Amino acid sequence: AHQPDLCALPDGRLAGAHGLGLDGTALLYAGRLEPDKHVREILHAFLSIAVPGAFLVFAGDGSERHFLESKAIGRPVRFLGSIGRDAMAVLLNAADAAVLFSDEGLSSFALEALASGVPVIATPTGDLPDVIHHGENGFLVSSAAELSVAMGEVMRGALGAHSSLSNSVKDYSWSELGPELLALYQELWNDSDT
């Protein structure tokens, strides 16, 4: 199948979605397609809800890809394979929500999505409950049933992508974290000299 040149797509949420052939609500998972990421559960939750015009997009590769593709034949699911960092901004710009369902703490994908104004559906692990405010900039889900409900809410327009969502992750920006990290490294360096 032909893969679009993600970096050549036009700017703008609607234009980016249209350029990817996603004329509807797009839910995006970006990461490794491995069992510990619970990608089967993401696909199953999406397929259990019939919402016309909704798409699920998997950006990434891994051992679960073949299985996922076999279950998604003829369904509104796209597999983009591994994508470069430059293309992530374009993909996020086309997404209506980011979805992750693993036990990892604070995913860079979740932070990137929120910084791009894209709501996030995720598990309440690590620092995610500090940045995702349930029903405002995303949904925190603890089960596959809750994941399905949250996906359905996004597909029905309960939460939309909006630039103000980026405020929820401003404390995680490099301009905020950089000086703290540098100070920590300097402290560790100074302690090693004693």
Side-chain angles (χ1 to χ4, degrees), residues 20 58 64 80 95 100 110 156 161 169 182-184 188:
L20 288 170
F58 284 101
E64 294 281 6
L80 300 179
L100 46 150
R156 290 175 190 83
V169 292
L182 181 59
L184 175 63
L188 291 172

Side-chain angles (χ1 to χ4, degrees), residues 1-9 16-22 78-80 82-83 87 90-91:
H2 170 69
Q3 294 295 322
D5 180 359
L6 295 177
C7 294
L9 291 175
H18 181 72
L20 288 170
L22 304 174
R78 305 282 191 278
F79 294 89
L80 300 179
S82 295
I83 61 163
V90 176
L91 252 173

Side-chain angles (χ1 to χ4, degrees), residues 9-35:
L9 291 175
D11 289 337
R13 193 165 302 283
L14 292 176
H18 181 72
L20 288 170
L22 304 174
D23 296 323
T25 304
L27 302 177
L28 172 65
Y29 168 86
R32 295 178 300 111
L33 303 181
E34 297 296 337

Side-chain angles (χ1 to χ4, degrees), residues 84-182:
R85 297 305 270 150
D86 292 343
M88 181 53 72
V90 176
L91 252 173
L92 283 169
N93 200 36
D96 293 284
V99 180
L100 46 150
F101 194 58
S102 67
D103 297 330
E104 72 183 274
L106 187 57
S107 157
S108 61
F109 173 54
L111 291 176
E112 288 176 41
L114 288 168
S116 299
V118 176
V120 174
I121 301 170
T123 54
T125 57
D127 286 346
L128 287 173
D130 294 336
V131 296
I132 298 173
H133 308 288
H134 192 80
E136 293 176 25
N137 65 349
F139 294 103
L140 294 169
V141 298
S142 298
S143 68
E146 290 177 3
L147 177 61
S148 293
V149 170
M151 287 178 157
E153 289 294 312
V154 168
M155 289 185 257
R156 290 175 190 83
L159 287 179
H162 192 276
S163 61
S164 67
L165 296 180
S166 63
N167 290 332
S168 60
V169 292
K170 66 179 184 248
D171 292 340
Y172 293 89
S173 71
W174 278 113
S175 61
E176 292 291 323
L177 291 180
E180 291 178 30
L181 191 57
L182 181 59

